[in-house]
Amino acid sequence: MKKHYLPLILSFALFTEANAQKIVQRDPAIEQLVAEVNADSLQSHIKKLVSFDTRHTMSTTTEEKRGIGAARRWVLSRFQEYAKQSGGRMTAMIDSWVLKPDGKRVDKDQDMGNVMGILKGTDPNDDRIFIVSGHIDSRVTNVMNREATAPGANDDGSGTATVIELARVMAKAQFPATVIFLVVSGEEQGLLGADYLAQKAVNEKWNIEAIMNNDIVGSNNSNETRIIDNTRVRIFSEGLPAFELDKKATGIRNMGQENDGKARQLARYAKEIGERYVDNLEVVMVYRNDRFLRGGDHTPFVNRGFAAVRVTEMNENFDHQHQDLRTEKGTQYGDLPEFMDFEYLRKNTAMNLATLANLAKAPTTPQNVTIDTKSLTNSTTLFWQAPKSGKVKGYYVLVRETYQPFWQKKIFTTKNGINIPYSKDHYFFAVQAVGEDGNESLPILPKVGM
Ligand SMILES: [Zn+2]
């Protein structure tokens, strides 16, 4: 423990009041992986992506050095290279299909492909999948312009580089659950690649527990307010669930759980774990699914009932998004690498890595988490059963007042139940399974029972 003493204090100083009681205890194996995320490596991924001139979804797929096809094949080659380190557990592929004209942003048949690196879990009884994603396609001012140079360094070279870097660092590590490194196409033409995969995941009953979608995560300044800040990153998460809200609304209303959907829990988890491992980075929760006037690849997953969130830089510079390369009144427009901050991108990538590694290493979630509501009490009794797979050291019981944004207490127990002097009437509770190295699962809110 001694050698982690200093980072522990530094991280502690960054905590907001709501988090002030939490103790930072890092898993040395994850700490090591986080340390391997490299700003120069991220920069070189982005330079390569920009070198394909355009990665517009409707651009050439047959040229060797230009267009989205060449870019996809290069990402595939990266995944294949990293897979050599995985002892045969990682495979790489381009999941291909043909797009048909849709009367909107697709005007001809087009070859499509999502590039995937699949790092298979080591536990055959663990069918969980955790996904990190970015989109490879780029655009300029006119979304149909497939010929102009569209560097897409930040949108979304940054998210794509995040995914590539995670594959590079994580390929050699072992996790009981499966991690998928996902680089989709067709985001700017209507979230087409994410929609394709989300539907496939439903059809094939994939057990996806979390999707971290990274879109525009590598620049530290805003255009008009001139704020420069590389210490904060935003995570957008939906409040009320888009999926089957009508079925769930009564339960949500009765329990007051409008701030406790799956995506929100994942966002809170990423905040806690990201800040646990990455110094000088605050994960800022945004209590909405996405920004104004924009969409993102998490949404096709959210719409189908998966826990998916969007990671985006704190301050966006719209001079460098969706812009034709040009200079106007002394301002250079366009999404070029020189407007990025690779140290900031490193921290955001590290936050993703810590979150995914902690999830994939944790046991599965505790089962049948129940709150005893058979009588009027000023205390609370919860009970649960062991997770389906994974070795369990114990459980964290999470507690917060109903009006608080984050969990306030995290009580460790080795038992399968607890009675605590906090009234079920004005606190929320959840339970996480904790693995032998201290990695916690996603929290499960209790069902009402006897
Ligand atoms: Zn984007």
Side-chain angles (χ1 to χ4, degrees), residues 371-397:
I371 183 167
D372 181 341
T373 55
K374 64 179 178 288
S375 56
L376 301 170
T377 56
N378 287 295
S379 62
T380 296
T381 301
L382 299 161
F383 45 92
W384 56 88
Q385 288 160 353
K388 254 193 253 165
S389 71
K391 285 191 184 155
V392 175
K393 179 166 83 174
Y395 302 89
Y396 286 130
V397 176

Side-chain angles (χ1 to χ4, degrees), residues 286-396:
V286 182
Y287 282 6
R288 51 169 58 124
N289 185 54
D290 212 331
R291 300 111 75 234
F292 285 100
L293 306 175
R294 293 284 169 87
D297 287 323
H298 58 306
T299 296
F301 290 95
V302 161
N303 289 346
R304 289 168 173 88
F306 295 109
V309 296
R310 177 196 185 110
V311 185
T312 296
E313 62 200 25
M314 195 67 212
N315 300 285
E316 294 182 69
N317 192 315
F318 299 106
D319 294 347
H320 307 305
Q321 290 179 20
H322 301 190
Q323 295 279 3
D324 289 331
L325 289 180
R326 66 192 192 281
T327 304
E328 245 172 52
K329 293 182 188 156
T331 300
Q332 166 80 61
Y333 290 87
D335 190 354
L336 295 161
E338 50 261 46
F339 300 116
M340 294 180 66
D341 175 343
F342 296 102
E343 168 56 14
Y344 179 52
L345 179 57
R346 180 197 65 78
K347 289 196 280 185
N348 295 339
T349 303
M351 181 275 289
N352 274 269
L353 189 146
T355 302
L356 280 169
N358 208 63
L359 282 169
K361 213 177 154 181
T364 58
T365 52
Q367 301 188 83
N368 301 317
V369 179
T370 307
I371 183 167
D372 181 341
T373 55
K374 64 179 178 288
S375 56
L376 301 170
T377 56
N378 287 295
S379 62
T380 296
T381 301
L382 299 161
F383 45 92
W384 56 88
Q385 288 160 353
K388 254 193 253 165
S389 71
K391 285 191 184 155
V392 175
K393 179 166 83 174
Y395 302 89
Y396 286 130

Side-chain angles (χ1 to χ4, degrees), residues 184-413:
V184 303
S185 301
E187 197 270 351
E188 306 290 5
Q189 309 313 108
L191 316 178
L192 303 175
D195 195 63
Y196 169 87
L197 187 70
Q199 188 54 46
K200 186 176 196 163
V202 170
N203 296 346
E204 298 181 357
K205 298 193 167 56
W206 293 13
N207 181 20
I208 302 174
E209 273 204 0
I211 294 136
M212 298 279 288
N213 176 44
N214 290 267
D215 199 348
I216 313 182
V217 287
S219 164
N220 66 15
N221 64 87
S222 84
N223 46 320
E224 80 280 23
T225 54
R226 302 291 169 199
I227 294 169
I228 300 174
D229 179 3
N230 75 352
T231 65
R232 293 184 298 163
V233 64
R234 295 178 293 175
I235 295 192
F236 289 77
S237 61
E238 71 171 5
L240 294 171
F243 182 68
E244 295 186 336
L245 177 59
D246 46 344
K247 278 193 202 165
K248 297 170 188 154
T250 302
I252 291 169
R253 181 168 177 270
N254 286 343
M255 301 286 282
Q257 286 178 347
E258 61 272 12
N259 190 15
D260 278 270
K262 273 181 179 180
R264 188 69 37 92
Q265 300 300 350
L266 172 59
R268 284 193 187 103
Y269 185 97
K271 176 175 176 62
E272 182 184 351
I273 306 303
E275 292 177 0
R276 181 183 300 172
Y277 285 94
V278 186
D279 295 319
N280 291 313
L281 184 70
E282 182 190 345
V283 177
V284 176
M285 306 270 292
V286 182
Y287 282 6
R288 51 169 58 124
N289 185 54
D290 212 331
R291 300 111 75 234
F292 285 100
L293 306 175
R294 293 284 169 87
D297 287 323
H298 58 306
T299 296
F301 290 95
V302 161
N303 289 346
R304 289 168 173 88
F306 295 109
V309 296
R310 177 196 185 110
V311 185
T312 296
E313 62 200 25
M314 195 67 212
N315 300 285
E316 294 182 69
N317 192 315
F318 299 106
D319 294 347
H320 307 305
Q321 290 179 20
H322 301 190
Q323 295 279 3
D324 289 331
L325 289 180
R326 66 192 192 281
T327 304
E328 245 172 52
K329 293 182 188 156
T331 300
Q332 166 80 61
Y333 290 87
D335 190 354
L336 295 161
E338 50 261 46
F339 300 116
M340 294 180 66
D341 175 343
F342 296 102
E343 168 56 14
Y344 179 52
L345 179 57
R346 180 197 65 78
K347 289 196 280 185
N348 295 339
T349 303
M351 181 275 289
N352 274 269
L353 189 146
T355 302
L356 280 169
N358 208 63
L359 282 169
K361 213 177 154 181
T364 58
T365 52
Q367 301 188 83
N368 301 317
V369 179
T370 307
I371 183 167
D372 181 341
T373 55
K374 64 179 178 288
S375 56
L376 301 170
T377 56
N378 287 295
S379 62
T380 296
T381 301
L382 299 161
F383 45 92
W384 56 88
Q385 288 160 353
K388 254 193 253 165
S389 71
K391 285 191 184 155
V392 175
K393 179 166 83 174
Y395 302 89
Y396 286 130
V397 176
L398 305 178
V399 183
R400 72 175 211 271
E401 288 158 292
T402 55
Y403 65 89
Q404 293 287 355
F406 309 121
W407 297 108
Q408 293 168 289
K409 274 186 187 290
K410 196 156 174 158
I411 303 166
F412 183 75
T413 175

